[in-house]
Amino acid sequence: MKFTKESRNAILCAILGNGVIDNEGRVILRYSVLKSDYAEWKRKWLMKRGVKCSEIEVSGNSVIFHIKPTKWAKLLKRIIYNHCRKTVGHPKLWSRLSKEHLAQIYLDKGSITNYKTRYTLSLNTNSSKEDNQVLIEYLNGRYGVSFYQMKWNGKYYLQCGTKEARKFLNLIRNKVEDVPSISHKLRNI
């Protein structure tokens, strides 16, 4: 399969999700063994978009696969990694992504929590306040979903309440198939 814009955007999506880029330009994706069905589903999703992936390997309590090295991943490493730390505050990169890509990132980094009568949806960006602000403005401007920032262990993440969580989930729910180990992230609230 030819390496296309769709392939590049799928790799970007994997990196903004759980992916880590090594020095050779491989994107490494690691998931809990409990989410091995999701890892297999994600690998197939990437491969349908022309991305060459390794087989899934089990390593302790994790399953790992990697995206074969590309010049695109090497370029993204220079853009996204600042002093060996992943940064998410690049509006031009986010503007490349569709609702389907946003759904993939949420499945990697997101969660829903129930507090008695209300819910919160979180995106664990594990990033700086400035980077998260760029992402908040992007999500509000493009999709009309309002997030705010929370701090935990010196890092910031995004969060929204029940009303905005419903908007966000309605935006992405039909963009991803139901995989048993992550179906709780897409439930109706």
Side-chain angles (χ1 to χ4, degrees), residues 17-184:
N18 273 6
V20 176
I21 310 170
D22 71 9
N23 291 332
E24 286 86 43
R26 286 186 313 168
V27 178
I28 301 162
L29 292 130
R30 178 184 306 262
Y31 299 95
S32 163
V33 170
L34 301 174
K35 294 184 179 177
S36 58
D37 62 337
Y38 174 62
E40 184 60 42
W41 180 83
K42 179 88 167 204
R43 181 178 168 273
K44 287 178 183 173
W45 181 85
L46 288 161
M47 290 174 62
K48 282 182 193 172
R49 282 141 188 86
V51 178
K52 294 179 182 176
C53 299
S54 70
E55 293 296 320
I56 292 179
E57 301 170 17
V58 177
S59 175
N61 292 332
S62 300
V63 291
I64 301 168
F65 71 95
H66 66 268
I67 296 171
K68 305 287 182 181
T70 62
K71 290 179 183 176
W72 174 242
K74 287 180 183 179
L75 173 64
L76 289 174
K77 182 170 177 125
R78 288 196 309 269
I79 294 169
I80 294 175
Y81 284 82
N82 185 6
H83 303 292
C84 299
R85 188 174 154 187
K86 192 189 300 189
T87 59
V88 298
H90 302 281
K92 287 184 180 177
L93 294 179
W94 285 98
S95 67
R96 297 178 62 98
L97 303 179
S98 67
K99 291 176 188 177
E100 182 180 27
H101 297 119
L102 188 60
Q104 292 290 326
I105 293 167
Y106 168 69
L107 293 176
D108 278 357
K109 298 239 175 233
S111 63
I112 297 175
T113 308
N114 183 1
Y115 295 106
K116 296 182 183 174
T117 60
R118 68 182 188 90
Y119 292 86
T120 59
L121 184 144
S122 301
L123 276 174
N124 186 9
T125 57
N126 202 21
S127 200
S128 71
K129 192 172 187 176
E130 296 78 18
D131 280 351
N132 277 337
Q133 191 58 43
V134 169
L135 189 50
I136 287 170
E137 291 168 9
Y138 168 76
L139 291 169
N140 194 9
R142 182 150 182 200
Y143 299 113
V145 180
S146 298
F147 281 87
Y148 52 89
Q149 296 191 56
M150 296 295 288
K151 187 175 183 178
W152 185 67
N153 283 347
K155 307 276 189 212
Y156 290 86
Y157 64 96
L158 302 184
Q159 198 169 61
C160 65
T162 305
K163 182 180 173 185
E164 296 300 311
R166 284 185 183 130
K167 282 200 292 192
F168 183 81
L169 290 172
N170 288 336
L171 185 75
I172 66 166
R173 188 175 283 119
N174 66 346
K175 302 296 178 189
V176 290
E177 298 171 25
D178 199 22
V179 178
S181 66
I182 50 102
S183 61
H184 64 281

